């Protein structure tokens, strides 16, 4: 059928439509079009906000960490229970929802259509894709983990960029991955491979490998640009969550500077993950304070950097990351139960429950640091909305974060009324920042900027030819003051009036009215197949010697990936 979303107030930063006037959005056969016939079905959006469906650049929604988390946190699974309906299965979970719940909640909340699974261990890729298939309504690219892989460490040490690029290309095919994820480079290998060790900073060598994090990051970034992958390296730096780590963060961004000047394929050559956790000053938790100002200044001066925030939401949640030594540090810090999962030759992970409390001085300053980053990074195209879900809080809190960004009044109330600890006033500058996001900037950080960073040309905007992924919110931007009516903002963004995915109406008036099968987006590099075959001959003896499974059982075959969206890239272009 043909549809016309009539009389909405459209915000489409990619196409420089900044809202404020009524505009129709038309789609047919799952695509945005510039005209429809008189037979088109009219969807009335009079005086409502219309945006492209959301694009989440960094979340944890599928894979082995989620499974372990659900098993050892039944207390979380008992929350968020909703009975099944004629359209949906039953829902369970709060910070770690079940797979169906994940799809339903992203559709209802914020009208999302694309979510990036930010850390897929190659050895567990099959299961990750099985979970993706169980999540409805979303397109899901998965980023394959490379920063602690034995072959990667060897190539980085040898500065063998040609073989490293070929290895990445082959492993993306094997795992049906979208791009290169790096987590605590060298640190997870030090933990999982050598008895619970870690690396600290960029120049601490990986035990027994004689290679540093600096060398691993630079080599992977160089290989990424050599291949011309659609997304830059996706980098979780060393020293996450440690007081004083802002210096490591700035030095890490600087590592990529020479590559950014010479990249033939993109302007933005590094994406920094959950930047809030990497913007800490001080030497310990007693003198811990914000280092966000210096990190934001660096980003403002260097347009080759993008980041997502990982905003603390002041909830009980579940932390989970491939940064296994950090999770053990967290377990020692809060004394709560801890699960560990090491992946041979590739990565490691940890899982720890956590309660972020506004009564706690450290948690409150962490909350402030995330908001400082949002408010001090000048260009909204360089910073993106995330909670690093579920680490800093569940993704269902995005509407609340949006209300904080749009309302200085609300932020001030939280500080002055004691909803957050008074340390926020001493250890951050949040109270002095009166910037408020407008609807166009919200559309940028939650749609347009993530789509650009990932090289998605078919989503994140409402231009002709784009996928008909559309969200409508019951807010009249010409008749509301978001600073004063922040509760209205949170409610509206948490209950989409209409969500359309590939031209199919998924949500109406906040309710799921239909579902569709998820799709995996993966990158297929063309033009170096002979190099890949030659490389495989070289590395198979080591693979057979050190891995505990046969290579034939390692590969993600087609039946694990239904209806894939294959992004073909000609190597180097």
């Amino acid at each position: 059928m043909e549809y016309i979303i009539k009389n909405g107030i459209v915000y489409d930063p990619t196409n420089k439509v900044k809202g404020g006037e009524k505009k129709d959005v038309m789609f047919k056969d799952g695509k945005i079009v510039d005209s429809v016939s008189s037979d088109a079905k009219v969807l009335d959006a009079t005086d409502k906000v219309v945006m492209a469906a959301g694009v989440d650049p960094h979340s944890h929604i599928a894979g082995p960490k989620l499974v372990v988390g659900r098993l050892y946190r039944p207390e979380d699974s008992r929350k968020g229970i909703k009975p099944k309906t004629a359209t949906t299965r039953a829902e369970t979970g709060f910070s770690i929802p079940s797979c169906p719940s994940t799809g339903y909640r992203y559709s209802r909340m914020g009208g999302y259509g694309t979510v990036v699974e930010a850390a897929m261990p190659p050895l567990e890729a099959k299961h990750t894709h099985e979970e993706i298939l169980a999540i409805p309504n979303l397109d899901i690219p998965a980023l394959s983990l490379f920063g602690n892989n034995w072959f990667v460490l060897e190539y980085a040490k040898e500065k063998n960029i040609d073989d490293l690029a070929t290895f990445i290309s082959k492993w993306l095919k094997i795992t049906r991955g979208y791009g290169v994820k790096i987590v605590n480079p060298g640190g997870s290998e030090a933990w999982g491979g050598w008895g619970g060790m870690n690396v600290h900073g960029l120049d601490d060598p990986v035990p027994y490998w004689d290679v540093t994090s600096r060398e691993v990051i630079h080599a992977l970034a160089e290989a990424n640009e050599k291949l011309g992958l659609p997304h830059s390296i996706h980098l979780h730096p060393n020293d996450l969550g440690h007081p004083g780590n802002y210096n490591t963060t700035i030095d890490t961004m600087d590592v990529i500077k020479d590559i950014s000047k010479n990249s033939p394929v993109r302007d933005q050559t590094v994406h920094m993950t959950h930047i809030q956790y990497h913007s800490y000053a001080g030497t310990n938790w007693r003198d811990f304070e914000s280092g966000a100002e210096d990190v934001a200044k660096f980003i403002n001066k260097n347009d080759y950097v993008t980041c997502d925030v990982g905003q603390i939401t002041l909830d009980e949640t579940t932390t989970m990351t491939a940064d296994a030594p950090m999770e053990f540090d967290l377990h020692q810090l809060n004394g709560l139960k801890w699960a560990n999962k090491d992946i041979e030759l590739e990565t490691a992970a940890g899982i720890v429950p956590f309660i972020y409390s506004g009564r706690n001085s450290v948690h409150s300053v962490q909350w402030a640091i995330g908001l400082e980053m949002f408010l001090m990074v000048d260009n909204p195209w360089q910073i993106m909305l995330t909670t690093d879900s579920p680490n800093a809080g569940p993704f269902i809190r995005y509407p609340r974060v949006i209300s904080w960004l749009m309302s200085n009044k609300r932020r001030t109330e939280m500080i002055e009324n004691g909803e957050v600890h008074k340390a926020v006033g001493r250890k951050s500058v949040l109270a002095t920042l009166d910037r408020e996001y407008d609807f166009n900037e919200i559309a940028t950080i939650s749609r347009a900027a993530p789509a650009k960073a990932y090289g998605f040309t078919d989503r994140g905007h409402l231009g002709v030819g784009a996928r008909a992924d559309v969200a409508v919110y019951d807010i009249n931007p010409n008749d509301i003051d978001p600073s004063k009516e922040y509760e209205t903002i949170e409610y509206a963004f948490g209950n989409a009036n209409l969500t359309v995915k590939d031209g199919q109406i998924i949500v109406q008036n906040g309710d799921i009215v239909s579902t569709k099968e998820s799709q995996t987006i993966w990158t297929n590099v063309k033009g170096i197949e002979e190099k890949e075959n030659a490389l495989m001959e070289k590395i198979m003896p080591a693979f057979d010697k050190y891995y505990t499974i046969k290579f034939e059982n390692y590969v993600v075959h087609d039946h694990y990936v239904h209806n894939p969206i294959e992004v073909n890239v000609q190597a180097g272009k």
Side-chain angles (χ1 to χ4, degrees):
M1 291 182 65
E2 301 173 285
Y3 290 88
I4 177 168
I5 299 175
K6 195 80 175 170
N7 291 330
I9 300 175
V10 176
Y11 293 86
D12 185 8
T14 299
N15 294 299
K16 298 181 171 54
V17 179
K18 296 185 178 181
E21 60 184 49
K22 292 182 179 179
K23 185 179 175 66
D24 298 338
V25 174
M26 295 164 280
F27 56 95
K28 178 181 178 180
D29 299 330
K31 302 284 184 171
I32 304 291
V33 295
D34 57 5
S35 64
V36 290
S37 73
S38 58
D39 295 329
K41 184 175 181 179
V42 175
L43 302 170
D44 183 22
T46 301
D47 294 329
K48 294 180 174 66
V49 166
V50 179
M51 299 179 179
V55 178
D56 190 338
H58 186 108
S59 191
H60 299 283
I61 59 173
K65 296 193 302 295
L66 281 297
V67 174
V68 173
R70 294 185 191 108
L71 287 171
Y72 104 132
R73 288 214 68 202
E75 68 275 17
D76 186 85
S77 296
R78 294 192 190 104
K79 298 176 182 177
I81 294 174
K82 283 180 174 283
K84 71 176 183 177
T85 70
T87 306
T88 64
R89 297 171 62 180
E91 296 182 39
T92 62
F94 175 65
S95 65
I96 323 173
S98 66
C99 290
S101 305
T102 296
Y104 305 151
R105 292 174 190 179
Y106 264 110
S107 298
R108 281 196 302 257
M109 177 282 310
Y112 274 72
T114 304
V115 179
V116 178
E117 166 47 54
M120 178 171 66
L123 193 64
E124 301 279 1
K126 282 184 178 180
H127 180 72
T128 302
H129 287 293
E130 286 175 331
E131 290 211 324
I132 288 172
L133 292 176
I135 298 172
N137 301 351
L138 300 175
D139 293 337
I140 304 174
L143 301 178
S144 302
L145 287 157
F146 285 99
N148 293 276
N149 182 286
W150 278 19
F151 297 108
V152 170
L153 296 175
E154 187 69 26
Y155 295 141
K157 179 173 68 174
E158 297 170 352
K159 295 181 171 53
N160 183 352
I161 306 304
D162 192 50
D163 280 354
L164 178 56
T166 304
F167 178 83
I168 291 170
S169 174
K170 183 64 176 178
W171 248 241
L172 291 179
K173 291 184 173 86
I174 287 169
T175 63
R176 295 298 198 269
Y178 188 77
V180 173
K181 176 64 179 291
I182 308 169
V183 173
N184 187 13
S188 292
E189 167 57 21
W191 170 267
W194 309 102
M197 301 171 71
N198 196 5
V199 299
H200 301 285
L202 282 167
D203 298 307
D204 188 4
V206 183
Y208 305 102
W209 280 97
D210 193 28
V211 65
T212 65
S213 300
R214 181 188 301 273
E215 292 170 314
V216 172
I217 293 166
H218 195 276
L220 283 167
E222 194 173 348
N224 194 88
E225 300 311 298
K226 183 182 180 69
L227 289 171
L229 298 181
H231 183 40
S232 67
I233 58 168
H234 196 89
L235 177 55
H236 162 142
N238 306 105
D239 293 339
L240 181 146
H242 295 161
N245 66 7
Y246 80 101
N247 286 313
T248 299
T249 303
I250 292 171
D251 290 345
T252 299
M253 292 186 288
D254 196 57
V255 166
I256 314 297
K257 184 172 286 184
D258 66 317
I259 293 175
S260 71
K261 293 176 181 177
N262 300 314
S263 173
V265 293
R266 83 186 87 243
D267 297 325
Q268 298 169 330
T269 51
V270 60
H271 179 86
M272 302 291 285
T273 63
H274 34 68
I275 199 75
Q276 173 272 134
Y277 283 118
H278 303 277
S279 301
Y280 298 169
T283 60
N284 56 55
W285 291 116
R286 289 184 297 277
D287 65 9
F288 161 75
E289 62 182 356
S290 173
E293 188 170 4
D294 287 338
V295 176
K297 282 180 179 178
F298 186 95
I299 294 173
N300 288 336
K301 292 178 181 177
N302 294 279
D303 60 6
Y304 65 86
V305 180
T306 62
C307 67
D308 63 79
V309 171
Q311 175 62 44
I312 300 291
T313 65
L314 301 176
D315 282 294
E316 178 182 336
T317 192
T318 309
T319 64
M320 52 176 63
T321 175
D323 193 340
M326 188 283 297
E327 287 287 354
F328 182 67
D329 290 345
L330 193 61
H331 158 67
Q332 291 186 308
L333 189 66
N334 73 2
L336 297 178
K337 58 186 177 180
W338 162 63
N340 183 72
K341 184 171 178 61
D342 297 337
I343 308 291
E344 58 190 52
L345 282 71
E346 294 183 346
T347 186
I351 304 163
V352 177
F354 206 85
I355 303 170
Y356 290 101
S357 170
R359 295 188 296 272
N360 182 287
S361 63
V362 170
H363 304 167
S364 295
V365 175
Q366 290 177 298
W367 168 83
I369 289 169
L371 293 172
E372 284 180 318
M373 288 302 303
F374 273 122
L375 300 172
M376 289 195 289
V377 170
D378 295 333
N379 183 358
W381 289 87
Q382 288 182 267
I383 193 162
M384 300 165 204
L385 173 61
T386 66
T387 60
D388 184 21
S389 183
N391 286 290
F395 63 81
I396 58 170
R397 294 299 193 216
Y398 288 176
R400 185 167 297 175
V401 178
I402 289 171
S403 74
W404 293 338
L405 294 176
M406 300 188 81
S407 177
N408 181 45
K409 179 177 185 290
R410 178 60 182 143
R411 301 192 300 265
T412 302
E413 282 179 357
M414 294 181 72
I415 295 169
E416 293 182 350
N417 295 346
E419 292 181 59
V420 293
H421 196 279
K422 61 185 178 181
V424 168
R426 300 194 313 270
K427 297 189 172 189
S428 80
V429 298
L430 178 62
T432 70
L433 302 174
D434 59 4
R435 176 182 174 187
E436 294 178 329
Y437 273 54
D438 59 26
F439 286 103
N440 192 65
E441 289 171 315
I442 294 299
T444 302
I445 65 171
S446 60
R447 284 126 168 102
K452 179 185 177 186
Y454 277 91
F456 299 145
T457 59
D458 64 344
R459 66 195 69 218
H461 68 95
L462 297 172
V464 173
R467 290 175 177 271
D469 293 359
V470 190
V472 178
Y473 305 103
D474 194 3
I475 320 168
N476 184 345
N478 298 319
D479 192 34
I480 188 174
D481 181 350
S483 184
K484 295 178 181 177
E485 299 174 71
Y486 49 81
E487 291 178 339
T488 301
I489 292 293
E490 180 178 351
Y491 180 82
F493 277 102
N495 297 272
N497 179 259
L498 181 72
T499 302
V500 178
K501 180 73 189 88
D502 291 329
Q504 178 178 329
I505 297 173
I506 300 293
V507 172
Q508 282 186 307
N509 298 318
D511 294 324
I512 304 290
V513 296
S514 75
T515 62
K516 70 182 299 293
E517 193 174 65
S518 63
Q519 295 181 270
T520 297
I521 310 176
W522 71 282
T523 302
N524 188 3
V525 180
K526 303 284 191 177
I528 57 172
E529 289 80 6
E530 289 187 10
K531 282 187 174 183
E532 290 174 354
N533 292 336
L535 184 72
M536 289 303 297
E537 289 187 14
K538 286 197 295 185
I539 69 175
M540 280 309 297
F543 188 98
D544 290 337
K545 181 177 181 179
Y546 293 110
Y547 272 84
T548 58
I549 68 168
K550 292 292 185 181
F551 183 76
E552 291 76 9
N553 296 321
Y554 188 80
V555 179
V556 176
H557 297 288
D558 290 342
H559 64 273
Y560 284 93
V561 188
H562 293 178
N563 299 319
I565 300 172
E566 184 175 318
V567 178
N568 292 314
V569 174
Q570 193 68 26
K573 298 180 181 180

